[in-house]
């Protein structure tokens, strides 16, 4: 099954209500061709897979058991933290992630302290965190970071040169003569990591008296991240459709980028500024900032009613 949590009214998700049978919950971040998801299905788990590639999601949808596996098209680290309660995941698997070898990209690696804290918070006590990679240095750094964090201990470390599961990259690296490094970590200590999103989801909107103000396209840096705003589309019914890319960065190594469309349309009290009906996004703090930004500009500051607060920081860079 394909899950779209952006439209839910409350977070984290109730996974017991999503799966028809109550089984241990296993999560894979970056499932590729979906072969490992099938392996997890065979061990009797309810499986959740995260992937940022639409093509991979489409391929996996053809091979999974839709009663046992749920797929999400979104960043797995963000999804793990926002969609799961603490101590709710029985096992976490990361297969052949991008190693990000350059030092300047070190924060993007998946075994940095902020990400390890998220894993430890969502895993049940004594659960396993498993990594497979073809890069020895990545495996060793992951072990070192995990042990130094005090959150995980090394349970197993093996090296092989044959295909076991048949994932895309496993087959590719073995065919090139590379070794596969498998790291199994066990949760040693719990740490609490709060959700970034509010548990109760509100629909951000504003009512303005008029919409004749000037909307300034460009890049805005707010308290919560970045907003890239484009020129609006308009029609003869005094309606505007405004495209933007909104990035929320919560400063612990996890960010979320979303393409957002805001509509401005006539309302009995003037004009309403809200998410377009086809804009299926998480209502993050920076999405709320976008609503305020547009309402403030098109109304020349004459906002009649709004259910979000302005960002405490706002910097503008013209397009």
């Amino acid at each position: 099954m394909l899950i779209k949590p952006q439209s839910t009214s409350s977070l984290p998700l109730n996974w017991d209500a999503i799966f028809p049978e109550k089984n241990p919950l296993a999560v894979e971040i970056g499932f590729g061709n979906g072969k490992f998801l099938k392996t997890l299905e065979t061990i009797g788990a309810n499986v959740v897979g995260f992937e940022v590639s639409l093509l991979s999601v489409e391929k996996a949808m053809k091979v999974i058991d839709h009663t046992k596996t749920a797929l999400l098209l979104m960043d797995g680290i963000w999804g793990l933290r926002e969609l799961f309660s603490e101590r709710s995941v029985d096992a976490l698997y990361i297969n052949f992630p991008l190693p990000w070898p350059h030092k300047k990209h070190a924060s993007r690696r998946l075994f940095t302290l902020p990400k390890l804290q998220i894993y430890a918070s969502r895993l049940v006590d004594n659960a396993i965190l498993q990594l497979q990679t073809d890069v020895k240095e990545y495996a060793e750094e992951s072990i070192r970071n995990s042990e130094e964090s005090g959150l995980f201990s090394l349970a197993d470390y093996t090296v092989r040169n044959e295909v076991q599961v048949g994932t895309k990259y496993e087959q590719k690296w073995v065919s090139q003569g590379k070794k596969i490094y498998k790291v199994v970590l066990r949760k040693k200590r719990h740490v609490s990591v709060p959700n970034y999103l509010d548990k109760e989801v509100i629909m951000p909107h504003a009512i303005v008296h008029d919409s004749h103000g000037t909307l300034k396209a460009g890049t805005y840096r707010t308290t919560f991240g970045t907003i890239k705003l484009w020129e609006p589309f308009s029609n003869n019914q005094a309606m505007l459709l405004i495209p933007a890319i909104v990035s929320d960065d919560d400063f612990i190594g996890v960010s979320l980028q979303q393409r957002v469309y805001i509509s401005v349309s006539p309302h009995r009290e003037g004009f309403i500024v809200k998410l377009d009906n086809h804009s299926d996004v998480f209502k993050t703090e920076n999405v709320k900032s976008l609503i305020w930004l547009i309402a403030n500009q098109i109304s020349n500051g004459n906002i009649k009613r709004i259910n979000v607060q302005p960002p405490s920081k706002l910097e503008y860079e013209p397009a």
Side-chain angles (χ1 to χ4, degrees):
M1 69 187 94
L2 182 64
I3 304 292
K4 295 184 177 180
Q6 291 89 337
S7 57
T8 189
S9 59
S10 64
L11 295 170
L13 297 180
N14 181 358
W15 293 100
D16 286 339
I18 291 172
F19 289 105
E21 295 184 10
K22 188 171 177 59
N23 295 311
L25 192 59
V27 175
E28 182 182 7
I29 294 177
F31 55 75
N33 63 6
K35 285 287 184 69
F36 194 75
L37 296 174
K38 295 298 293 181
T39 298
L40 294 175
E41 288 178 355
T42 63
I43 63 174
N46 288 334
V47 186
V48 180
F50 290 98
E51 181 57 69
V52 294
S53 165
L54 178 59
L55 181 60
S56 291
V57 172
E58 290 175 343
K59 288 181 177 179
M61 286 289 288
K62 298 176 182 177
V63 301
I64 62 169
D65 183 333
H66 289 247
T67 66
K68 296 180 179 179
T69 297
L71 306 182
L72 295 103
L73 180 63
M74 61 181 295
D75 178 83
I77 310 299
W78 179 278
L80 183 67
R81 189 185 59 185
E82 299 306 317
L83 306 183
F84 294 86
S85 303
E86 294 199 0
R87 290 189 171 103
S88 65
V89 177
D90 294 278
L92 176 60
Y93 300 89
I94 302 174
N95 293 313
F96 306 101
L98 283 172
W100 297 108
H102 299 296
K103 188 175 181 180
K104 64 180 180 179
H105 295 145
S107 64
R108 300 183 186 182
R109 298 170 194 161
L110 297 189
F111 284 79
T112 60
L113 179 59
K115 296 180 179 72
L116 287 166
Q117 291 173 333
I118 293 173
Y119 306 155
S121 71
R122 299 311 185 249
L123 285 167
V124 301
D125 295 339
N126 211 39
I128 67 161
L129 164 59
Q130 179 177 295
L131 164 71
Q132 292 194 89
T133 178
D134 63 297
V135 182
K136 181 180 180 181
E137 293 78 13
Y138 191 90
E140 292 177 344
E141 179 185 80
S142 299
I143 294 170
R144 184 170 60 253
N145 289 352
S146 299
E147 291 185 322
E148 288 178 355
S149 73
L151 301 172
F152 294 91
S153 60
L154 181 63
D156 194 25
Y157 181 38
T158 57
V159 183
R160 68 178 192 276
N161 57 8
E162 74 278 353
V163 174
Q164 283 190 350
V165 178
T167 65
K168 174 184 174 182
Y169 285 106
E170 183 184 35
Q171 292 175 324
K172 179 179 179 179
W173 303 139
V174 170
S175 70
Q176 294 179 5
K178 292 186 176 182
K179 294 179 180 179
I180 305 300
Y181 302 87
K182 180 179 175 181
V183 177
V184 181
L185 301 161
R186 190 166 298 279
K187 180 178 170 180
K188 180 179 177 182
R189 181 171 60 87
H190 185 76
V191 62
S192 183
V193 176
N195 298 87
Y196 176 72
L197 297 172
D198 294 330
K199 291 183 181 295
E200 298 301 322
V201 179
I202 68 164
M203 184 61 70
H205 67 277
I207 304 297
V208 298
H209 287 285
D210 63 70
S211 61
H212 297 113
T214 301
L215 192 68
K216 296 192 293 184
T219 300
Y220 295 82
R221 291 175 178 82
T222 75
T223 316
F224 310 105
T226 304
I227 296 171
K228 190 169 184 179
L229 195 63
W230 277 278
E231 296 289 343
F233 301 98
S234 61
N235 63 17
N236 295 329
Q237 284 73 46
M239 295 181 64
L240 298 176
L241 183 65
I242 305 163
I245 289 182
V246 177
S247 298
D248 280 77
D249 183 356
D250 62 6
F251 313 113
I252 64 167
V254 182
S255 61
L256 179 70
Q257 186 178 90
Q258 303 184 96
R259 185 177 293 275
V260 183
Y261 292 92
I262 303 299
S263 68
V264 180
S265 56
H267 184 270
R268 63 180 181 276
E269 298 180 62
F271 293 85
I272 184 169
V273 182
K274 65 182 183 66
L275 289 167
D276 183 70
N277 292 336
H278 299 289
S279 198
D280 193 15
V281 299
F282 288 107
K283 287 71 175 177
T284 63
E285 293 303 319
N286 224 20
V287 168
K288 297 173 187 176
S289 295
L290 174 63
I291 293 288
W292 175 87
L293 175 66
I294 291 173
N296 188 61
Q297 289 193 1
I298 65 172
S299 69
N300 291 314
N302 191 14
I303 299 174
K304 185 173 184 179
R305 189 169 68 252
I306 190 168
N307 66 346
V308 298
Q309 297 296 319
S312 59
K313 168 190 171 184
L314 186 64
E315 300 173 354
Y316 172 63
E317 181 181 320

